[in-house]
Protein backbone atom coordinates (compact mmCIF):
# COMPACT_ATOMS: atom_id res chain seq x y z
CA UNK A 1 0.00 0.00 0.00
CA UNK A 2 1.31 3.51 -0.67
CA UNK A 3 2.53 5.51 2.29
CA UNK A 4 0.26 8.16 3.75
CA UNK A 5 0.88 10.26 6.83
CA UNK A 6 -0.54 8.54 9.91
CA UNK A 7 -1.95 10.74 12.62
CA UNK A 8 -0.92 9.61 16.10
CA UNK A 9 -3.28 11.09 18.65
CA UNK A 10 -4.18 10.63 22.24
CA UNK A 11 -7.84 10.26 23.18
CA UNK A 12 -7.60 13.66 24.81
CA UNK A 13 -6.66 15.28 21.52
CA UNK A 14 -2.91 15.94 21.59
CA UNK A 15 -1.41 14.78 18.32
CA UNK A 16 1.69 14.20 16.33
CA UNK A 17 2.10 12.35 13.05
CA UNK A 18 4.22 9.74 11.35
CA UNK A 19 5.35 11.88 8.48
CA UNK A 20 7.64 11.25 5.49
CA UNK A 21 10.79 11.57 7.62
CA UNK A 22 9.52 8.91 10.02
CA UNK A 23 8.60 6.64 7.13
CA UNK A 24 12.04 7.13 5.61
CA UNK A 25 13.75 6.25 8.90
CA UNK A 26 11.52 3.19 9.36
CA UNK A 27 12.21 2.05 5.80
CA UNK A 28 15.95 2.46 6.34
CA UNK A 29 15.71 0.27 9.45
CA UNK A 30 13.86 -2.42 7.51
CA UNK A 31 16.36 -2.28 4.63
CA UNK A 32 19.28 -2.71 7.00
CA UNK A 33 17.53 -5.69 8.60
CA UNK A 34 16.95 -7.20 5.15
CA UNK A 35 20.64 -6.87 4.33
CA UNK A 36 21.53 -8.62 7.55
CA UNK A 37 18.93 -11.35 6.97
CA UNK A 38 20.45 -12.06 3.54
CA UNK A 39 23.98 -12.00 4.91
CA UNK A 40 23.28 -14.27 7.88
CA UNK A 41 20.63 -16.38 6.09
CA UNK A 42 18.21 -16.21 9.01
CA UNK A 43 15.36 -14.00 10.22
CA UNK A 44 16.36 -10.60 11.64
CA UNK A 45 14.29 -8.44 13.98
CA UNK A 46 13.96 -4.76 13.05
CA UNK A 47 12.75 -2.35 15.74
CA UNK A 48 12.02 1.34 15.12
CA UNK A 49 10.89 3.83 17.77
CA UNK A 50 9.87 7.42 18.36
CA UNK A 51 8.57 9.38 21.36
CA UNK A 52 4.93 10.43 21.49
CA UNK A 53 2.32 11.60 23.95
CA UNK A 54 -0.42 9.11 24.71
CA UNK A 55 -3.63 9.24 26.72
CA UNK A 56 -5.19 6.50 28.79
CA UNK A 57 -3.55 3.16 27.84
CA UNK A 58 -6.79 1.26 28.46
CA UNK A 59 -8.57 3.45 25.91
CA UNK A 60 -5.80 2.83 23.38
CA UNK A 61 -5.92 -0.93 24.01
CA UNK A 62 -9.72 -1.03 23.83
CA UNK A 63 -9.66 0.54 20.39
CA UNK A 64 -6.54 -1.14 19.00
CA UNK A 65 -7.31 -4.73 20.04
CA UNK A 66 -10.06 -4.88 17.43
CA UNK A 67 -7.45 -4.86 14.65
CA UNK A 68 -5.68 -8.11 15.60
CA UNK A 69 -6.10 -11.55 17.16
CA UNK A 70 -3.24 -10.99 19.58
CA UNK A 71 -2.87 -8.06 21.97
CA UNK A 72 -1.55 -7.30 25.44
CA UNK A 73 -2.37 -4.73 28.12
CA UNK A 74 -0.27 -4.19 31.24
CA UNK A 75 -0.56 -1.56 33.97
CA UNK A 76 1.81 -2.01 36.89
CA UNK A 77 1.79 -0.37 40.32
CA UNK A 78 5.41 -1.44 40.83
CA UNK A 79 6.83 1.34 38.65
CA UNK A 80 3.66 3.05 37.42
CA UNK A 81 4.38 2.04 33.85
CA UNK A 82 1.91 0.88 31.22
CA UNK A 83 2.31 -1.24 28.12
CA UNK A 84 -0.04 -1.69 25.17
CA UNK A 85 1.01 -4.20 22.51
CA UNK A 86 -0.82 -5.00 19.29
CA UNK A 87 -0.18 -7.69 16.72
CA UNK A 88 2.72 -10.11 16.50
CA UNK A 89 6.05 -9.78 14.71
CA UNK A 90 7.30 -13.17 15.95
CA UNK A 91 5.88 -15.76 18.36
CA UNK A 92 8.10 -17.61 20.84
CA UNK A 93 6.68 -20.92 22.05
CA UNK A 94 7.63 -23.82 24.27
CA UNK A 95 6.13 -27.06 25.54
CA UNK A 96 6.75 -29.41 28.40
CA UNK A 97 9.04 -29.20 31.38
CA UNK A 98 11.54 -26.83 29.73
CA UNK A 99 9.04 -24.52 28.05
CA UNK A 100 10.38 -21.36 29.75
CA UNK A 101 13.90 -22.23 28.66
CA UNK A 102 12.76 -22.75 25.07
CA UNK A 103 11.16 -19.30 25.02
CA UNK A 104 14.26 -17.74 26.60
CA UNK A 105 16.57 -19.33 24.03
CA UNK A 106 14.35 -18.25 21.15
CA UNK A 107 14.28 -14.68 22.48
CA UNK A 108 18.04 -14.53 22.91
CA UNK A 109 18.58 -15.77 19.36
CA UNK A 110 16.10 -13.28 17.93
CA UNK A 111 17.67 -10.21 19.57
CA UNK A 112 21.26 -11.28 19.02
CA UNK A 113 21.54 -9.33 15.78
CA UNK A 114 18.74 -6.83 16.37
CA UNK A 115 18.59 -3.83 13.99
CA UNK A 116 17.24 -0.63 15.55
CA UNK A 117 16.26 2.75 14.20
CA UNK A 118 14.41 5.93 15.04
CA UNK A 119 14.64 7.75 18.37
CA UNK A 120 14.14 6.05 21.72
CA UNK A 121 12.09 7.87 24.35
CA UNK A 122 13.60 8.87 27.68
CA UNK A 123 12.15 8.90 31.17
CA UNK A 124 10.34 5.56 30.85
CA UNK A 125 10.25 2.84 33.54
CA UNK A 126 12.75 -0.03 33.47
CA UNK A 127 13.02 -1.94 30.20
CA UNK A 128 14.36 -0.97 26.80
CA UNK A 129 13.90 -1.73 23.15
CA UNK A 130 11.53 -4.34 21.76
CA UNK A 131 9.92 -6.57 24.38
CA UNK A 132 8.88 -10.19 24.52
CA UNK A 133 5.42 -10.31 26.12
CA UNK A 134 3.05 -13.09 27.15
CA UNK A 135 2.99 -15.84 29.73
CA UNK A 136 3.13 -19.44 30.83
CA UNK A 137 0.51 -21.90 32.05
CA UNK A 138 0.50 -23.20 35.61
CA UNK A 139 1.42 -26.74 34.57
CA UNK A 140 3.26 -27.77 31.44
CA UNK A 141 0.55 -30.21 30.41
CA UNK A 142 -2.49 -27.96 30.93
CA UNK A 143 -2.65 -26.13 27.62
CA UNK A 144 -1.12 -29.05 25.70
CA UNK A 145 -4.09 -31.24 26.64
CA UNK A 146 -6.89 -28.70 26.27
CA UNK A 147 -5.64 -26.37 23.55
CA UNK A 148 -7.24 -23.26 25.10
CA UNK A 149 -4.06 -21.26 25.68
CA UNK A 150 -0.58 -22.47 24.76
CA UNK A 151 1.74 -24.00 27.35
CA UNK A 152 4.11 -21.12 26.80
CA UNK A 153 3.55 -18.15 24.54
CA UNK A 154 5.54 -14.98 24.38
CA UNK A 155 5.73 -12.81 21.33
CA UNK A 156 7.30 -9.65 19.95
CA UNK A 157 4.46 -7.23 19.22
CA UNK A 158 4.22 -5.50 15.87
CA UNK A 159 3.33 -2.31 17.75
CA UNK A 160 4.16 -1.52 21.36
CA UNK A 161 3.54 1.61 23.39
CA UNK A 162 5.28 2.01 26.73
CA UNK A 163 4.31 4.97 28.87
CA UNK A 164 5.58 6.49 32.08
CA UNK A 165 3.70 7.23 35.27
CA UNK A 166 1.83 10.56 35.04
CA UNK A 167 3.45 13.48 36.87
CA UNK A 168 1.76 14.58 40.11
CA UNK A 169 -1.39 16.50 39.27
CA UNK A 170 -1.24 15.46 35.60
CA UNK A 171 -3.68 12.55 35.81
CA UNK A 172 -5.96 12.42 32.77
CA UNK A 173 -3.53 14.31 30.54
CA UNK A 174 -1.24 12.80 27.87
CA UNK A 175 1.97 11.33 29.30
CA UNK A 176 5.39 10.72 27.74
CA UNK A 177 5.48 7.43 25.89
CA UNK A 178 7.39 5.52 23.25
CA UNK A 179 5.88 4.07 20.10
CA UNK A 180 7.87 1.11 18.82
CA UNK A 181 7.21 -0.77 15.57
CA UNK A 182 8.73 -4.23 15.16
CA UNK A 183 9.02 -6.65 12.25
CA UNK A 184 11.01 -9.75 11.37
CA UNK A 185 12.68 -9.56 7.96
CA UNK A 186 13.46 -12.66 5.90
CA UNK A 187 15.83 -12.91 2.94
CA UNK A 188 12.95 -12.33 0.49
CA UNK A 189 11.01 -9.67 2.46
CA UNK A 190 9.94 -6.42 0.78
CA UNK A 191 11.15 -3.72 3.21
CA UNK A 192 8.91 -1.02 1.72
CA UNK A 193 5.84 -3.21 2.14
CA UNK A 194 6.87 -4.05 5.71
CA UNK A 195 7.31 -0.36 6.57
CA UNK A 196 3.99 0.60 4.94
CA UNK A 197 2.18 -2.16 6.85
CA UNK A 198 3.60 -0.95 10.15
CA UNK A 199 2.58 2.65 9.48
CA UNK A 200 -0.90 1.45 8.54
CA UNK A 201 -1.10 -0.50 11.83
CA UNK A 202 -0.06 2.61 13.77
CA UNK A 203 -2.77 4.62 12.05
CA UNK A 204 -5.44 2.00 12.86
CA UNK A 205 -4.38 1.74 16.48
CA UNK A 206 -3.71 5.33 17.43
CA UNK A 207 -6.25 7.42 15.54
CA UNK A 208 -9.15 8.14 17.91
CA UNK A 209 -12.50 6.59 17.09
CA UNK A 210 -15.13 9.37 16.93
CA UNK A 211 -17.83 6.77 17.65
CA UNK A 212 -16.17 5.41 20.81
CA UNK A 213 -18.37 7.36 23.23
CA UNK A 214 -21.50 6.31 21.34
CA UNK A 215 -20.47 2.67 21.45
CA UNK A 216 -19.77 2.88 25.18
CA UNK A 217 -23.24 4.35 25.75
CA UNK A 218 -24.82 1.58 23.69
CA UNK A 219 -23.07 -1.05 25.80
CA UNK A 220 -24.12 0.69 28.99
CA UNK A 221 -27.76 0.94 27.84
CA UNK A 222 -27.92 -2.68 26.62
CA UNK A 223 -30.46 -4.86 28.49
CA UNK A 224 -29.02 -6.79 31.41
CA UNK A 225 -27.25 -10.04 30.59
CA UNK A 226 -28.29 -13.28 32.25
CA UNK A 227 -25.70 -15.75 33.51
CA UNK A 228 -25.63 -19.40 34.48
CA UNK A 229 -22.81 -20.53 36.80
CA UNK A 230 -21.41 -23.99 37.49
CA UNK A 231 -18.86 -24.79 40.22
CA UNK A 232 -16.10 -27.19 39.16
CA UNK A 233 -15.98 -29.26 41.26
CA UNK A 234 -19.15 -28.71 43.28
CA UNK A 235 -18.84 -27.17 46.74
CA UNK A 236 -19.11 -30.40 48.74
CA UNK A 237 -16.83 -32.32 46.42
CA UNK A 238 -14.22 -29.55 46.70
CA UNK A 239 -14.42 -29.59 50.50
CA UNK A 240 -13.86 -33.34 50.29
CA UNK A 241 -10.66 -32.65 48.34
CA UNK A 242 -9.56 -30.30 51.13
CA UNK A 243 -10.06 -33.10 53.66
CA UNK A 244 -8.16 -35.51 51.44
CA UNK A 245 -5.26 -33.08 51.10
CA UNK A 246 -4.98 -32.42 54.84
CA UNK A 247 -4.99 -36.20 55.46
CA UNK A 248 -2.02 -36.56 53.14
CA UNK A 249 -0.24 -33.60 54.78
CA UNK A 250 -0.69 -35.12 58.23
CA UNK A 251 0.62 -38.41 56.81
CA UNK A 252 3.82 -36.58 55.84
CA UNK A 253 3.50 -36.78 52.03
CA UNK A 254 3.98 -33.03 51.63
CA UNK A 255 3.88 -29.91 53.81
CA UNK A 256 1.52 -27.66 51.84
CA UNK A 257 -0.63 -27.83 48.71
CA UNK A 258 -2.59 -25.09 46.91
CA UNK A 259 -5.97 -26.38 45.78
CA UNK A 260 -7.92 -24.41 43.19
CA UNK A 261 -11.47 -24.47 41.90
CA UNK A 262 -13.27 -23.01 38.90
CA UNK A 263 -16.58 -21.24 38.45
CA UNK A 264 -17.66 -21.50 34.82
CA UNK A 265 -20.16 -18.87 33.72
CA UNK A 266 -22.19 -18.91 30.53
CA UNK A 267 -23.83 -15.58 29.72
CA UNK A 268 -26.61 -14.64 27.32
CA UNK A 269 -24.25 -12.28 25.46
CA UNK A 270 -20.47 -11.85 25.14
CA UNK A 271 -18.79 -10.05 28.01
CA UNK A 272 -17.73 -6.41 27.56
CA UNK A 273 -13.99 -6.78 28.08
CA UNK A 274 -12.97 -3.09 28.00
CA UNK A 275 -15.67 -2.36 30.59
CA UNK A 276 -14.41 -5.28 32.71
CA UNK A 277 -10.85 -3.91 32.59
CA UNK A 278 -12.08 -0.45 33.59
CA UNK A 279 -13.94 -1.92 36.56
CA UNK A 280 -10.94 -4.02 37.60
CA UNK A 281 -8.69 -1.01 37.48
CA UNK A 282 -11.07 1.18 39.47
CA UNK A 283 -11.96 -1.37 42.15
CA UNK A 284 -8.49 -2.85 42.72
CA UNK A 285 -5.91 -0.08 43.24
CA UNK A 286 -2.41 -1.36 43.89
CA UNK A 287 -2.84 -4.41 41.65
CA UNK A 288 -1.34 -5.21 38.26
CA UNK A 289 -4.08 -5.13 35.63
CA UNK A 290 -3.42 -7.32 32.61
CA UNK A 291 -5.28 -8.59 29.56
CA UNK A 292 -3.96 -11.07 26.99
CA UNK A 293 -5.89 -11.58 23.76
CA UNK A 294 -4.94 -14.75 21.87
CA UNK A 295 -7.19 -15.77 18.98
CA UNK A 296 -10.69 -16.26 20.42
CA UNK A 297 -9.56 -16.24 24.07
CA UNK A 298 -8.89 -13.39 26.49
CA UNK A 299 -7.11 -13.95 29.79
CA UNK A 300 -7.40 -11.00 32.15
CA UNK A 301 -7.04 -10.14 35.81
CA UNK A 302 -6.02 -7.73 38.52
CA UNK A 303 -3.35 -9.46 40.58
CA UNK A 304 -1.78 -8.26 43.84
CA UNK A 305 1.17 -10.61 43.45
CA UNK A 306 4.30 -10.50 41.35
CA UNK A 307 6.65 -13.41 40.81
CA UNK A 308 9.83 -11.55 39.93
CA UNK A 309 11.12 -8.19 38.70
CA UNK A 310 14.61 -7.54 37.35
CA UNK A 311 15.98 -4.06 36.73
CA UNK A 312 19.53 -2.74 36.78
CA UNK A 313 20.66 -6.20 38.08
CA UNK A 314 18.46 -5.92 41.16
CA UNK A 315 15.98 -8.75 41.64
CA UNK A 316 12.69 -8.46 43.53
CA UNK A 317 10.37 -11.34 44.40
CA UNK A 318 7.22 -11.31 46.52
CA UNK A 319 5.87 -13.85 48.96
CA UNK A 320 2.10 -13.40 49.20
CA UNK A 321 0.52 -16.18 51.24
CA UNK A 322 -1.91 -16.30 54.13
CA UNK A 323 -5.38 -14.81 53.80
CA UNK A 324 -8.26 -13.56 55.91
CA UNK A 325 -11.39 -11.66 54.82
CA UNK A 326 -11.92 -7.93 55.20
CA UNK A 327 -14.19 -6.84 58.03
CA UNK A 328 -17.50 -5.04 57.51
CA UNK A 329 -16.46 -2.32 60.01
CA UNK A 330 -13.06 -0.87 60.95
CA UNK A 331 -13.20 -2.80 64.23
CA UNK A 332 -13.98 -6.07 62.47
CA UNK A 333 -11.26 -5.40 59.90
CA UNK A 334 -8.69 -4.88 62.66
CA UNK A 335 -9.83 -8.13 64.30
CA UNK A 336 -9.33 -9.98 61.01
CA UNK A 337 -5.88 -8.45 60.68
CA UNK A 338 -4.94 -9.55 64.20
CA UNK A 339 -6.06 -13.07 63.29
CA UNK A 340 -3.93 -12.96 60.14
CA UNK A 341 -0.82 -11.78 61.95
CA UNK A 342 -1.31 -13.97 65.02
CA UNK A 343 -2.23 -17.28 63.40
CA UNK A 344 0.50 -19.90 63.69
CA UNK A 345 -1.06 -21.78 60.74
CA UNK A 346 -0.98 -18.72 58.48
CA UNK A 347 2.50 -17.68 59.59
CA UNK A 348 3.77 -21.18 58.78
CA UNK A 349 2.08 -21.18 55.37
CA UNK A 350 3.67 -17.79 54.63
CA UNK A 351 7.16 -18.72 55.79
CA UNK A 352 7.20 -21.79 53.51
CA UNK A 353 6.83 -19.45 50.53
CA UNK A 354 9.38 -16.88 51.70
CA UNK A 355 11.97 -19.55 52.49
CA UNK A 356 11.68 -21.00 49.00
CA UNK A 357 12.09 -17.54 47.41
CA UNK A 358 15.22 -16.82 49.46
CA UNK A 359 16.77 -20.17 48.53
CA UNK A 360 15.93 -19.80 44.84
CA UNK A 361 17.38 -16.29 44.54
CA UNK A 362 20.55 -17.36 46.36
CA UNK A 363 21.51 -19.47 43.33
CA UNK A 364 22.13 -16.36 41.19
CA UNK A 365 22.10 -13.42 43.62
CA UNK A 366 24.16 -11.99 46.43
CA UNK A 367 22.86 -10.02 49.42
CA UNK A 368 19.50 -11.80 49.46
CA UNK A 369 17.25 -10.29 52.13
CA UNK A 370 13.60 -10.65 53.16
CA UNK A 371 11.76 -7.86 54.93
CA UNK A 372 10.57 -8.59 58.46
CA UNK A 373 8.02 -8.81 59.83
CA UNK A 374 5.57 -9.60 57.00
CA UNK A 375 3.36 -6.73 55.95
CA UNK A 376 -0.43 -6.85 55.65
CA UNK A 377 -1.81 -6.05 52.19
CA UNK A 378 -5.48 -5.04 52.23
CA UNK A 379 -7.54 -5.58 49.08
CA UNK A 380 -11.21 -5.05 48.41
CA UNK A 381 -12.38 -8.44 49.73
CA UNK A 382 -9.39 -10.06 51.46
CA UNK A 383 -6.12 -9.23 53.17
CA UNK A 384 -2.84 -11.09 52.83
CA UNK A 385 0.53 -11.47 54.51
CA UNK A 386 3.21 -10.11 52.19
CA UNK A 387 7.02 -10.28 52.30
CA UNK A 388 9.35 -8.67 49.75
CA UNK A 389 12.53 -10.61 48.95
CA UNK A 390 15.40 -8.77 47.30
CA UNK A 391 18.78 -9.73 45.86
CA UNK A 392 21.52 -8.45 43.59
CA UNK A 393 22.64 -10.53 40.61
CA UNK A 394 26.16 -11.79 41.23
CA UNK A 395 28.88 -10.19 39.11
CA UNK A 396 29.44 -13.44 37.18
CA UNK A 397 25.74 -14.25 36.79
CA UNK A 398 24.20 -14.25 33.32
CA UNK A 399 20.69 -14.88 34.64
CA UNK A 400 17.86 -12.77 33.29
CA UNK A 401 14.23 -12.47 34.22
CA UNK A 402 13.21 -15.57 32.22
CA UNK A 403 15.84 -17.67 33.99
CA UNK A 404 14.36 -16.55 37.30
CA UNK A 405 10.81 -17.31 36.11
CA UNK A 406 11.95 -20.86 35.36
CA UNK A 407 13.61 -21.19 38.78
CA UNK A 408 10.71 -19.76 40.79
CA UNK A 409 7.55 -20.93 39.04
CA UNK A 410 5.42 -22.31 40.57
CA UNK A 411 6.20 -21.09 44.08
CA UNK A 412 4.63 -22.77 47.14
CA UNK A 413 2.02 -19.99 47.06
CA UNK A 414 0.74 -21.43 43.76
CA UNK A 415 1.37 -25.18 43.93
CA UNK A 416 2.70 -26.27 47.29
CA UNK A 417 5.79 -27.57 49.07
CA UNK A 418 7.76 -29.69 48.42
CA UNK A 419 7.01 -28.76 44.83
CA UNK A 420 7.23 -32.18 43.15
CA UNK A 421 5.07 -33.99 45.70
CA UNK A 422 2.45 -31.25 45.88
CA UNK A 423 2.17 -30.94 42.08
CA UNK A 424 1.90 -34.72 41.76
CA UNK A 425 -1.03 -34.78 44.21
CA UNK A 426 -2.74 -31.93 42.33
CA UNK A 427 -2.32 -33.70 38.99
CA UNK A 428 -3.95 -36.82 40.43
CA UNK A 429 -6.72 -35.14 42.42
CA UNK A 430 -7.56 -31.54 41.48
CA UNK A 431 -9.24 -32.47 38.20
CA UNK A 432 -8.99 -28.90 36.93
CA UNK A 433 -7.49 -27.30 33.84
CA UNK A 434 -5.97 -24.17 35.39
CA UNK A 435 -4.74 -22.94 32.00
CA UNK A 436 -2.84 -19.71 32.77
CA UNK A 437 -4.48 -19.25 36.18
CA UNK A 438 -1.67 -19.41 38.78
CA UNK A 439 0.75 -19.19 35.88
CA UNK A 440 2.73 -16.05 35.09
CA UNK A 441 2.18 -13.10 32.76
CA UNK A 442 4.62 -10.34 31.93
CA UNK A 443 7.43 -9.10 29.72
CA UNK A 444 11.20 -9.31 29.17
CA UNK A 445 13.64 -7.05 27.33
CA UNK A 446 16.78 -8.03 25.45
CA UNK A 447 19.11 -7.37 28.41
CA UNK A 448 17.27 -9.70 30.80
CA UNK A 449 15.24 -7.05 32.59
CA UNK A 450 11.52 -7.58 33.00
CA UNK A 451 8.47 -8.05 35.20
CA UNK A 452 6.25 -11.09 35.67
CA UNK A 453 3.06 -11.19 37.69
CA UNK A 454 1.43 -14.20 39.28
CA UNK A 455 -1.81 -14.67 37.33
CA UNK A 456 -4.36 -14.85 40.14
CA UNK A 457 -7.68 -12.96 40.55
CA UNK A 458 -8.12 -13.81 36.89
CA UNK A 459 -10.49 -15.29 34.32
CA UNK A 460 -10.27 -16.92 30.91
CA UNK A 461 -12.99 -15.75 28.49
CA UNK A 462 -14.29 -17.00 25.19
CA UNK A 463 -17.19 -14.84 24.00
CA UNK A 464 -20.08 -15.45 26.41
CA UNK A 465 -18.20 -18.07 28.46
CA UNK A 466 -15.90 -17.24 31.38
CA UNK A 467 -13.82 -19.50 33.61
CA UNK A 468 -13.05 -17.82 36.94
CA UNK A 469 -10.49 -19.33 39.31
CA UNK A 470 -9.53 -19.14 42.98
CA UNK A 471 -7.35 -21.27 45.23
CA UNK A 472 -6.23 -21.72 48.83
CA UNK A 473 -3.02 -22.85 50.47
CA UNK A 474 -3.71 -25.91 52.62
CA UNK A 475 -1.67 -27.08 55.59
CA UNK A 476 -2.34 -29.78 58.18
CA UNK A 477 -5.09 -27.99 60.14
CA UNK A 478 -6.90 -26.28 57.26
CA UNK A 479 -10.68 -26.24 57.67
CA UNK A 480 -12.76 -27.08 54.54
CA UNK A 481 -15.54 -24.61 55.32
CA UNK A 482 -13.12 -21.74 55.96
CA UNK A 483 -11.11 -22.53 52.84
CA UNK A 484 -14.24 -22.64 50.67
CA UNK A 485 -15.34 -19.27 52.07
CA UNK A 486 -11.90 -17.88 51.25
CA UNK A 487 -12.21 -18.92 47.61
CA UNK A 488 -15.61 -17.24 47.43
CA UNK A 489 -14.08 -13.99 48.65
CA UNK A 490 -11.26 -14.28 46.09
CA UNK A 491 -13.74 -14.83 43.26
CA UNK A 492 -15.84 -11.76 44.01
CA UNK A 493 -13.58 -9.08 42.41
CA UNK A 494 -13.56 -10.83 39.03
CA UNK A 495 -17.28 -11.57 39.20
CA UNK A 496 -17.90 -7.91 39.88
CA UNK A 497 -15.62 -6.83 37.04
CA UNK A 498 -17.52 -9.04 34.60
CA UNK A 499 -20.90 -7.89 35.87
CA UNK A 500 -21.86 -11.35 37.15
CA UNK A 501 -24.45 -11.17 39.91
Amino acid sequence: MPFTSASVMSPEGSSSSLGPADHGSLLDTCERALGRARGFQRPILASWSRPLDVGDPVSVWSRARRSTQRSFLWQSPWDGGSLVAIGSARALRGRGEHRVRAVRDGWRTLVKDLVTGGVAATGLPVGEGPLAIGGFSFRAEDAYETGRLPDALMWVPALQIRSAVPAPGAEGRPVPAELRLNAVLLHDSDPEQVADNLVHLARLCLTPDPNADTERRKRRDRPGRTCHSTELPGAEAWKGLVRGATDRIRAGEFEKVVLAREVRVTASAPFDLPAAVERMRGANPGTTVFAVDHEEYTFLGATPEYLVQVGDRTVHALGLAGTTPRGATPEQDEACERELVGSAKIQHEHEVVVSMLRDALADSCTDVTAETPPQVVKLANVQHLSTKVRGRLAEDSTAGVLDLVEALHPTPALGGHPRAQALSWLADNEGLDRSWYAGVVGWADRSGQGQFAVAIRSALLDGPTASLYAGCGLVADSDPEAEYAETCAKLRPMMSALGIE
Side-chain angles (χ1 to χ4, degrees):
M1 73 185 64
F3 168 72
T4 57
S5 179
S7 179
V8 180
M9 303 179 69
S10 80
E12 289 75 13
S14 67
S15 66
S16 56
S17 63
L18 292 180
D22 292 315
H23 182 267
S25 175
L26 174 59
L27 177 58
D28 173 73
T29 305
C30 292
E31 288 174 338
R32 287 187 287 115
L34 174 64
R36 192 166 290 188
R38 288 174 172 171
F40 293 166
Q41 287 298 296
R42 59 181 177 82
I44 295 295
L45 175 62
S47 183
W48 179 90
S49 62
R50 59 153 295 174
L52 81 160
D53 290 337
V54 70
D56 180 19
V58 173
S59 296
V60 176
W61 170 80
S62 299
R63 178 176 62 253
R65 65 187 291 270
R66 299 189 300 235
S67 65
T68 181
Q69 287 191 311
R70 192 174 288 163
S71 73
F72 185 87
L73 170 69
W74 175 272
Q75 282 202 298
S76 167
W78 311 331
D79 57 15
S82 297
L83 168 64
V84 176
I86 304 297
S88 179
R90 173 57 63 98
L92 305 163
R93 295 176 181 262
R95 278 184 174 170
E97 181 182 357
H98 300 300
R99 65 197 191 281
V100 180
R101 193 174 309 171
V103 168
R104 179 206 65 189
D105 291 347
W107 176 229
R108 286 179 175 174
T109 298
L110 187 62
V111 298
K112 181 180 179 183
D113 295 297
L114 171 71
V115 174
T116 60
V119 179
T122 59
L124 297 178
V126 67
E128 60 182 8
L131 304 180
I133 58 176
F136 303 90
S137 62
F138 170 69
R139 276 191 295 263
E141 65 271 18
D142 277 344
Y144 179 78
E145 291 178 350
T146 67
R148 295 204 287 174
L149 287 179
D151 246 14
L153 173 64
M154 298 193 74
W155 71 95
V156 183
L159 177 149
Q160 75 180 47
I161 300 172
R162 298 183 62 237
S163 55
V165 61
E171 290 78 3
R173 288 185 241 158
V175 297
E178 178 186 79
L179 168 67
R180 185 168 288 273
L181 302 174
N182 303 308
V184 170
L185 279 292
L186 309 178
H187 73 281
D188 58 350
S189 295
D190 179 344
E192 186 164 2
Q193 185 68 54
V194 170
D196 286 349
N197 288 344
L198 289 173
V199 169
H200 179 65
L201 177 63
R203 181 172 64 248
L204 287 176
C205 293
L206 295 173
T207 302
D209 181 356
N211 299 315
D213 289 340
T214 302
E215 291 299 320
R216 278 196 293 269
R217 282 195 297 272
K218 286 181 179 179
R219 291 198 302 266
R220 188 170 60 243
D221 297 338
R222 196 173 290 162
R225 124 184 344 101
T226 59
C227 298
H228 173 72
S229 300
T230 303
E231 296 188 13
L232 302 171
E236 295 309 313
W238 192 82
K239 294 172 190 175
L241 288 175
V242 174
R243 285 187 283 271
T246 55
D247 287 345
R248 301 276 57 82
I249 293 170
R250 286 191 289 270
E253 290 189 16
F254 41 84
E255 189 174 354
K256 173 187 176 179
V257 69
V258 181
L259 182 66
R261 68 184 187 94
E262 174 186 348
V263 174
R264 189 168 298 172
V265 180
T266 302
S268 57
F271 292 97
D272 186 339
L273 300 185
V277 169
E278 289 284 10
R279 285 192 286 264
M280 284 193 309
R281 183 170 63 164
N284 301 279
T287 65
T288 295
V289 173
F290 64 86
V292 181
D293 285 315
H294 175 64
E295 298 176 352
E296 69 268 33
Y297 296 103
T298 299
F299 183 61
L300 75 170
T303 176
E305 185 173 2
Y306 61 84
L307 180 70
V308 63
Q309 306 172 54
V310 180
D312 193 27
R313 299 193 65 80
T314 298
V315 179
H316 297 270
L318 181 70
L320 194 76
T323 307
T324 61
R326 297 297 305 269
T329 66
E331 293 76 19
Q332 292 174 354
D333 202 53
E334 289 179 10
C336 291
E337 180 178 343
R338 287 194 297 272
E339 178 184 350
L340 181 68
V341 173
S343 167
K345 166 194 171 291
I346 292 176
Q347 288 285 349
H348 171 66
E349 177 189 346
H350 185 76
E351 180 52 35
V352 166
V353 175
V354 175
S355 178
M356 177 270 181
L357 294 176
R358 282 195 304 254
D359 291 345
L361 292 193
D363 290 339
S364 54
C365 295
T366 60
D367 303 322
V368 177
T369 59
E371 67 177 0
T372 55
Q375 303 298 302
V376 175
V377 173
K378 293 181 181 286
L379 303 173
N381 298 93
V382 295
Q383 45 193 323
H384 300 288
L385 284 184
S386 170
T387 294
K388 295 176 182 177
V389 181
R390 180 182 179 277
R392 180 83 179 168
L393 287 171
E395 292 297 326
D396 60 349
S397 176
T398 60
V401 68
L402 288 170
D403 299 283
L404 292 162
V405 168
E406 183 176 43
L408 295 172
H409 177 63
T411 73
L414 306 173
H417 182 77
R419 179 188 289 180
Q421 292 88 331
L423 294 183
S424 176
W425 186 89
L426 288 172
D428 292 340
N429 294 277
E430 190 175 54
L432 177 67
D433 169 25
R434 293 192 183 190
S435 188
W436 281 18
Y437 165 72
V440 290
V441 173
W443 59 268
D445 75 2
R446 57 178 168 165
S447 65
Q449 301 182 112
Q451 299 177 348
F452 281 84
V454 176
I456 56 175
R457 311 297 193 271
S458 57
L460 178 65
L461 287 85
D462 177 9
T465 302
S467 291
L468 288 70
Y469 305 92
C472 289
L474 307 179
V475 291
D477 56 350
S478 293
D479 173 66
E481 295 293 338
E483 302 298 340
Y484 180 78
E486 181 179 316
T487 63
C488 291
K490 290 176 176 177
L491 286 164
R492 276 198 291 272
M494 187 54 63
M495 295 182 77
S496 176
L498 294 173
I500 300 170
E501 300 298 332

